[in-house]
Structure formats: structure tokens, C-alpha cells
């Protein structure tokens, strides 16, 4: 029956929400790997901002989500961090990639940033806003777009500089077009799974999360060892 097929991963649907960076980093490889392992299970991967994912999981519209921390954990179980990726300052102008970038320098930079709809509610931009507040400055991007890939494309055209994870810069194929440097102090996107509090995940979704974690930890390890090649 349907329940038995779901329990034995010979049926059912695995569902997972992912935020922008994770969506670009994971989607093709994750789905291919999962389908090869569990060919009889349907797959549903939704891409949203981490704030939206938290709301969707909290409301029961999604079983689980892969988010960037920090998030509002009201009504949610937040798993331990499974991977982190460094966020770097990327520019087509080598003269701006000489030394690590402080929050005061970011406040003066011409920037294009993603997550236009969410602004400082987005976890990564929230980290930036908190740093800026402590330093007594404000980050005001010249351009805001919704998706990280659009921000990177505009930066590669020399329209403005951007902030992006090293991993995504390489995945999108812009590692040769944009020079990148660390922030001072370094900034990271930290990934974790969330689910609604006091609920049990379906076997299919748990299996999809296991494959996602394998892909993320492998990618994080490769990025850590290759970080010097982006400078």
C-alpha cells in the first residue's frame, strides 16, 4: 500500500526547501544522486529565501528546509550546522582586491546585493547589518536584485561589486571573471536543516536530507582546500 511504499522508499515523495545559494550549489547533483539511489521516489525541491522556508516549514507547507543561519526558530527544530561557506568580496577591478575588506570599506563600496525582497531579514545580510551597526556605518547597496546569480552576473560586467560565497562564484563559472578577497573579519554562510517542532519526517525526506548533507560536506571540504585559488 501507499504507506508501505513510502516506508520502504519504493514510493512517496521526498520534499525539501533550499535557499538561494544552496539551491544553485546543490540542485543538479543532489537530484541526480537521489534519483539513482531511490528511483521510485518522487522529488520536490523548492527554492526560497531562508525566511520564507522557515515560514513554510512552520506552517506545514514543507516537511523540511535547508537554511542559512541565523533564523527565527519559533516553532522549529534547527539541526546542528552541517557546512559553512565563506562569503567574499568580488570585483572585476584588481585594485579593490588588494587586502581584506572591512565593514567600513563595504559601507563605501558600490555594491549589488541579492535578496532585494528580504533585505536585512536575509540571514547573510542580517550578519552584515549587525556588523555595520556595531561599527556605526550603514550598508546601502547601489543595486538590489532577488537572486545571487543575477548579482554575480552584474558584478562580472563591472556594474558594481558584490558579496558571494566562494563556492557559488566557482559553481556559476565566474571564478576567472571576478577576483575575490575575504572580509575582515571573515564572514560565512552557515547551513542547517530545519523541521517543524515535534513532527516526524517521512523516510523519503530524511533520505533526501542525508544525500544533501553528503553533497554539502564534500563541497565545503573541497572549497576549504581550494580557497587560495580564488585570490
Amino acid at each position: 500500500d501507499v504507506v508501505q511504499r513510502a516506508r520502504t522508499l519504493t514510493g512517496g515523495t521526498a520534499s525539501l526547501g533550499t535557499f538561494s545559494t544552496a539551491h544553485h550549489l546543490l540542485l543538479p547533483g543532489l537530484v541526480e544522486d537521489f534519483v539513482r539511489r531511490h528511483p521510485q521516489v518522487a522529488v520536490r525541491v523548492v527554492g526560497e529565501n531562508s525566511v520564507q522556508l522557515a515560514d513554510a516549514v512552520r506552517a506545514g507547507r514543507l516537511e523540511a528546509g535547508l537554511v542559512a543561519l541565523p533564523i527565527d526558530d519559533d516553532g522549529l527544530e534547527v539541526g546542528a550546522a552541517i557546512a559553512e561557506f565563506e562569503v567574499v568580496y568580488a570585483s572585476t577591478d584588481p585594485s579593490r582586491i588588494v587586502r581584506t575588506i572591512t565593514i567600513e570599506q563595504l559601507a563605501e563600496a558600490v555594491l549589488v546585493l541579492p535578496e532585494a525582497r528580504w533585505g536585512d531579514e536575509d540571514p547573510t545580510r542580517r550578519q552584515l547589518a549587525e556588523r555595520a551597526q556595531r561599527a556605526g556605518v550603514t550598508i546601502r547597496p547601489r543595486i538590489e536584485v532577488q537572486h545571487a546569480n543575477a548579482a554575480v552576473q552584474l558584478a562580472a560586467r563591472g556594474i558594481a561589486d558584490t558579496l558571494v560565497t566562494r563556492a557559488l562564484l566557482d559553481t556559476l563559472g565566474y571564478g576567472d571573471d571576478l577576483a575575490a578577497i575575504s572580509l575582515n573579519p571573515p564572514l560565512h554562510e552557515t547551513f542547517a536543516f530545519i523541521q517543524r517542532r515535534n513532527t516526524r519526517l517521512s523516510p523519503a525526506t530524511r533520505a533526501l536530507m542525508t544525500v544533501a548533507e553528503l553533497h554539502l560536506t564534500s563541497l565545503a571540504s573541497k572549497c576549504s582546500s581550494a580557497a587560495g585559488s580564488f585570490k
Side-chain angles (χ1 to χ4, degrees):
D1 61 14
V2 173
V3 174
Q4 181 62 21
R5 290 198 302 272
R7 286 176 176 169
T8 58
L9 296 180
T10 55
T13 300
S15 65
L16 182 68
T18 63
F19 70 100
S20 178
T21 301
H23 202 73
H24 289 296
L25 291 177
L26 276 180
L27 193 58
L30 169 61
V31 173
E32 179 183 10
D33 192 3
F34 184 81
V35 168
R36 291 184 185 279
R37 292 172 186 239
H38 309 290
Q40 295 173 290
V41 179
V43 182
R44 177 174 176 255
V45 181
V46 177
E48 303 280 6
N49 180 274
S50 292
V51 178
Q52 290 172 296
L53 290 178
D55 287 341
V57 172
R58 195 179 287 115
R61 296 191 300 272
L62 278 172
E63 272 199 89
L66 175 63
V67 300
L69 300 179
I71 60 162
D72 175 9
D73 64 359
D74 182 41
L76 301 174
E77 290 183 13
V78 181
I82 57 174
E84 67 175 23
F85 295 89
E86 186 182 11
V87 176
V88 293
Y89 181 90
S91 175
T92 56
D93 186 347
S95 70
R96 295 201 283 270
I97 310 295
V98 176
R99 59 182 61 85
T100 55
I101 304 295
T102 65
I103 195 68
E104 291 83 2
Q105 289 170 314
L106 274 182
E108 298 295 325
V110 177
L111 293 173
V112 52
L113 294 181
E115 307 300 346
R117 179 180 176 185
W118 298 99
D120 289 345
E121 289 184 66
D122 171 74
T124 300
R125 290 183 60 171
R126 181 174 164 184
Q127 291 188 72
L128 286 171
E130 289 172 353
R131 286 189 182 190
Q133 186 178 63
R134 289 195 297 270
V137 298
T138 304
I139 305 296
R140 292 190 178 92
R142 175 76 57 84
I143 305 164
E144 292 183 272
V145 294
Q146 188 55 39
H147 300 295
N149 58 335
V152 172
Q153 288 171 16
L154 287 169
R157 296 184 182 196
I159 305 299
D161 297 341
T162 196
L163 298 172
V164 60
T165 63
R166 289 188 187 272
L168 185 58
L169 192 63
D170 190 44
T171 297
L172 294 175
Y174 288 96
D176 294 331
D177 300 307
L178 287 162
I181 197 81
S182 297
L183 276 63
N184 182 14
L187 182 71
H188 294 87
E189 275 191 349
T190 302
F191 292 26
F193 288 119
I194 59 171
Q195 66 183 80
R196 191 158 57 161
R197 195 168 293 160
N198 300 321
T199 60
R200 179 176 295 181
L201 297 174
S202 68
T205 294
R206 286 201 306 271
L208 181 60
M209 290 166 65
T210 297
V211 177
E213 182 170 355
L214 289 172
H215 277 257
L216 277 174
T217 53
S218 175
L219 181 59
S221 177
K222 289 177 183 177
C223 290
S224 178
S225 62
S229 65
F230 288 86
K231 295 180 180 179

